[in-house]
Amino acid sequence: MEALSLEQKLADSYEAQRTKSIRMEKYELALQEATQSINLGANVTKDQIEGDSQFDYWADKVEAVTDNIDRSKELIGTTVQKLRNAEVDIEHEIKRQEQKRLNTQRRNMLRLFGPMIFNNAALKYLQLSAIFLLAGKCLALASPFILKCLIDSISAVSISKFGTAIAGFGAAAATKAAATGAAAKVATGVATGVAAKTAATATAAKAAGSTVAAAAVKMGLWKVSIGVLLFGASKIASTILVQNHVIQMTKLIQEGLERVSQRAFSHLHELDLGFHKQSSSRDSVFAINRALRSLDSGLRFFLCFFSGMIVESAFLATAIGWNCGPIYLLNMVATMGAYIAFSYQKAQERMEIVREKKNKEKVQEIFQGESIQNYESVKAFGTESFERKRYDKITSSVKDQAIEGQRTLTELNIGQDVIFYSGLTLNLLLSALQ
């Protein structure tokens, strides 16, 4: 009640100051008109009695009145500026009191609804949800490292194949040289059996090397296959665990809202007959259902989306700081901070535009209904063109608001992409320079 009374006092003071400002502006206009009349009269008097001895006397009078008018203008300007400053101060004070009142309401709501939603029955859902969330985010974070090991294994297998081919080529060249030397000896008639033995030994060595290389390649392919399966399994398991976290949070929210709804329903029946006669029961029920939907949306956003984003960001920051270094971590934090700040600013701007667009659409609907309901009056007085001009003005404002909303959405999307890809490009440049 004290906040409301202070707000009422500020509003009354604002209206009084505004009324006084309007009066001073009217007084300023009147003085301007009087100045013009006096200047006009002075010119006429000068033309009529030029050369008269009384002209200097009237000229001094006019000059004195003009000086008074100038001083009055300065005083009025100063007063108007003070009133405008007071108006701005009053608006700021009203906003501050409104924000204070909203903060008080939020704290009261947390004290009232907190024990109803987060009680002992909700503890098991919180525990299961935390386990699912941490496990799912750990697997999501581990999947890129599994992919890294997989790519390294594929590279190792390719290098092994290349080395095997080079070794086989060398063995063939050695065999050919040995056979040539042995043939030369046969030609001289020294060692025919030596040539046959050397060729057999080289063939056996080549076969043994090929067998070992094939076993190594086969082992590398098995590692690659296991890595592919682990990567796919980690992504699938991460999705399943995170969705189980969402299910547990949904159970917690719905059971809490059920308790709140039952408490509100019982409270309505506990109220006396005077309350239901003085206020509309239908409006009370509508307000309760709307509050329940708002609680549902807020809790879903915080428990299902925001909590997961916080946990994943913490894991990601730890991994980047541990594996890449503080420079990459600082860049990531700066990018996320700029992204969040920009998104919040544009979201606040879009909220005002969307609210204004809805208000103008309501005005358009109301005008349509009233104009069609008063069809006979419009036709009787022949004001179709006037009604059409008014409607065109309303539709033009609705169109402008829709275009403005899309413009801000485009700026939001472009700004978010610029911030994100700028941070990514900087990290890539840092890794390339290192």
Side-chain angles (χ1 to χ4, degrees):
M1 293 299 293
E2 292 180 359
L4 292 176
S5 62
L6 179 58
E7 183 178 350
Q8 185 64 35
K9 289 179 181 179
L10 291 173
D12 295 340
S13 176
Y14 170 74
E15 290 296 332
Q17 295 287 346
R18 188 171 182 179
T19 303
K20 188 176 180 180
S21 175
I22 293 172
R23 289 179 180 175
M24 295 299 290
E25 290 177 356
K26 290 182 179 179
Y27 180 56
E28 183 181 0
L29 292 175
L31 287 177
Q32 290 177 359
E33 293 177 358
T35 303
Q36 294 176 359
S37 299
I38 291 172
N39 291 332
L40 181 61
N43 293 331
V44 173
T45 302
K46 183 177 179 181
D47 293 337
Q48 289 178 352
I49 63 172
E50 186 173 1
D52 192 352
S53 60
Q54 299 292 326
F55 176 76
D56 293 336
Y57 171 77
W58 290 108
D60 294 338
K61 288 286 187 182
V62 170
E63 185 177 358
V65 173
T66 304
D67 293 339
N68 291 331
I69 290 174
D70 291 337
R71 286 193 296 270
S72 299
K73 285 182 178 179
E74 293 178 0
L75 179 61
I76 290 172
T78 305
T79 305
V80 170
Q81 185 62 36
K82 289 181 179 179
L83 290 173
R84 288 175 179 171
N85 294 335
E87 181 179 355
V88 172
D89 293 339
I90 291 172
E91 289 179 354
H92 289 168
E93 183 64 21
I94 290 174
K95 289 181 179 179
R96 190 180 71 83
Q97 293 295 332
E98 181 67 19
Q99 187 65 36
K100 184 178 179 181
R101 184 177 64 84
L102 291 176
N103 292 334
T104 304
Q105 288 182 352
R106 292 191 184 102
R107 287 193 296 268
N108 293 334
M109 288 177 62
L110 288 176
R111 294 192 189 100
L112 177 63
F113 296 124
M116 295 184 187
I117 298 175
F118 301 100
N119 54 9
N120 294 329
L123 185 60
K124 62 178 181 179
Y125 296 124
L126 288 173
Q127 293 173 348
L128 289 174
S129 175
I131 293 173
F132 288 138
L133 178 62
L134 293 175
K137 294 304 179 182
C138 285
L139 287 176
L141 184 64
S143 58
F145 293 97
I146 296 175
L147 185 62
K148 173 182 175 299
C149 296
L150 174 62
I151 294 174
D152 293 341
S153 299
I154 293 175
S155 300
V157 169
S158 300
I159 293 172
S160 176
K161 287 183 177 181
F162 180 74
T164 302
I166 294 298
F169 179 77
T175 303
K176 184 176 180 181
T180 304
K185 290 182 180 180
V186 170
T188 58
V190 178
T192 304
V194 174
K197 186 177 181 181
T198 303
T201 304
T203 303
K206 182 179 179 182
S210 300
T211 304
V212 172
V217 171
K218 188 175 181 181
M219 181 63 68
L221 291 176
W222 270 107
K223 289 182 179 180
V224 171
S225 301
I226 293 173
V228 171
L229 292 176
L230 285 176
F231 176 76
S234 65
K235 298 297 288 185
I236 294 173
S238 173
T239 302
I240 293 173
L241 290 171
V242 171
Q243 293 305 314
N244 275 286
H245 152 72
V246 174
I247 290 175
Q248 298 300 321
M249 287 292 98
T250 303
K251 291 179 180 178
L252 184 149
I253 293 169
Q254 294 303 320
E255 289 188 4
L257 292 179
E258 182 182 7
R259 288 189 290 270
V260 173
S261 179
Q262 291 174 355
R263 180 69 181 88
F265 185 77
S266 301
H267 183 68
L268 285 176
H269 281 283
E270 292 172 358
L271 295 173
D272 56 2
L273 185 60
F275 171 81
H276 293 284
K277 285 186 175 181
Q278 291 177 0
S279 61
S280 175
S281 300
R282 182 178 179 182
D283 293 340
S284 299
V285 173
F286 176 77
I288 291 172
N289 290 330
R290 185 176 179 182
L292 290 173
R293 288 194 295 270
S294 299
L295 281 173
D296 187 13
S297 301
L299 290 172
R300 278 181 179 275
F301 173 79
F302 182 77
L303 296 176
C304 297
F305 172 74
F306 189 71
S307 60
M309 185 182 68
I310 292 296
V311 172
E312 187 171 1
S313 300
F315 283 174
L316 183 61
T318 304
I320 290 178
W322 181 265
N323 291 279
C324 302
I327 298 178
Y328 295 89
L329 177 60
L330 182 61
N331 180 34
M332 189 200 78
V333 173
T335 302
M336 289 182 63
Y339 188 93
I340 294 172
F342 176 78
S343 300
Y344 178 78
Q345 179 185 358
K346 283 297 179 181
Q348 294 297 321
E349 182 180 350
R350 279 185 50 77
M351 284 174 61
E352 292 294 332
I353 294 174
V354 170
R355 188 181 298 112
E356 187 67 22
K357 180 175 179 292
K358 289 182 178 180
N359 293 334
K360 291 186 179 298
E361 288 177 348
K362 289 181 181 178
V363 171
Q364 181 182 8
E365 293 176 0
I366 293 172
F367 181 81
Q368 282 179 336
E370 291 181 350
S371 182
I372 298 303
Q373 288 178 0
N374 297 323
Y375 170 78
E376 295 179 356
S377 300
V378 172
K379 297 296 290 184
F381 291 96
T383 58
E384 292 90 344
S385 60
F386 176 72
E387 291 291 314
R388 192 178 300 111
K389 289 180 181 178
R390 290 177 62 192
Y391 186 69
D392 290 343
K393 185 177 180 180
I394 294 173
T395 54
S396 178
S397 63
V398 173
K399 177 195 70 177
D400 294 339
Q401 287 295 323
I403 294 174
E404 186 69 14
Q406 184 59 43
R407 182 188 65 81
T408 55
L409 180 61
T410 302
E411 291 178 354
L412 175 64
N413 294 332
I414 293 174
Q416 287 178 343
D417 285 346
V418 167
I419 293 171
F420 175 77
Y421 288 111
S422 297
L424 179 62
T425 303
L426 182 59
N427 271 346
L428 292 176
L429 286 175
L430 289 174
S431 63
L433 293 175
Q434 291 180 356

